[in-house]
Amino acid sequence: MDVRAAVDAEIDHLARVWHESWHDAHASIVPEDLIRLRTLENFRLRIQEALPTVRVVGPSGAPVGFCIVKDAELYQLFVSAPSRGSGVAAALLADGEARLSASGVQIAWLACAIGNDRAARFYEKHGWFRVGNMINGLDTPSGEYLLDVWRFEKPLTPALRSQGVR
């Protein structure tokens, strides 16, 4: 599966993928005031800002999924509903892990909304460990929004994995 850098012309399409996928996964498990802040325009601005670190899978102009890394964090990973189960998410996850490892990250982390069991199972299947809960500061148009989330971690170096580091 070809994972590639996103381009400017895909911003609007990626914003729609993110908006639809985020609401599908989170509408029933996060507070209503956060849902109201997650507008299509909010996702458009966020994807535009993150574009240098966005990697995608899918046809030029119409990617079906994307991954963003930020420091030691697998920051965002979303796949359109019709593409779920096709291997797109696994390819994006592997690419994100490789980018983090190449940048020197030894233990990567990600935040997963509490109650997003589908995502949690996916991460666990791919070697991530739920290490507990944490308060995650989310960027919103109204400023930082604090949300209690599950924290997952994964050792990216063979030495840490062989030591059983979680």
Side-chain angles (χ1 to χ4, degrees):
M1 196 160 297
D2 184 35
V3 180
R4 60 179 175 78
V7 297
D8 286 337
E10 295 172 324
I11 290 172
D12 289 334
H13 182 81
L14 287 167
R16 284 189 300 277
V17 168
W18 196 357
H19 180 260
E20 291 168 10
S21 299
W22 188 92
H23 282 272
D24 180 44
H26 297 92
S28 65
I29 59 174
V30 300
E32 185 64 36
D33 53 337
L34 178 58
I35 293 168
R36 283 192 297 274
L37 294 169
R38 293 304 192 210
T39 64
L40 180 58
E41 181 59 19
N42 173 249
F43 287 111
R44 187 189 182 292
L45 292 171
R46 292 172 66 206
I47 203 81
Q48 184 174 19
E49 182 180 293
L51 196 63
T53 63
V54 178
R55 304 267 295 161
V56 299
V57 168
S60 181
V64 297
F66 70 91
C67 179
I68 304 171
V69 296
K70 182 176 171 182
D71 302 321
E73 180 183 9
L74 188 84
Y75 177 61
Q76 302 292 335
L77 176 64
F78 284 92
V79 174
S80 66
S83 297
R84 291 183 195 141
S86 68
V88 168
L92 288 165
L93 181 64
D95 181 77
E97 291 172 4
R99 289 189 289 151
L100 290 166
S101 182
S103 72
V105 173
Q106 293 187 24
I107 299 178
W109 71 277
L110 63 85
C112 180
I114 292 173
N116 191 346
D117 296 323
R118 181 183 68 211
R121 283 190 304 273
F122 171 77
Y123 294 127
E124 289 167 345
K125 176 182 172 185
H126 291 278
W128 290 77
F129 299 94
R130 190 181 319 176
V131 296
N133 291 8
M134 65 177 241
I135 302 296
N136 198 22
L138 309 176
D139 293 325
T140 75
S142 299
E144 186 177 49
Y145 187 99
L146 301 178
L147 184 67
D148 194 26
V149 297
W150 289 325
R151 180 182 172 106
F152 282 80
E153 293 181 355
K154 182 176 183 179
L156 299 179
T157 63
L160 290 176
R161 285 193 301 271
S162 69
Q163 294 171 18
V165 172
R166 287 185 166 190

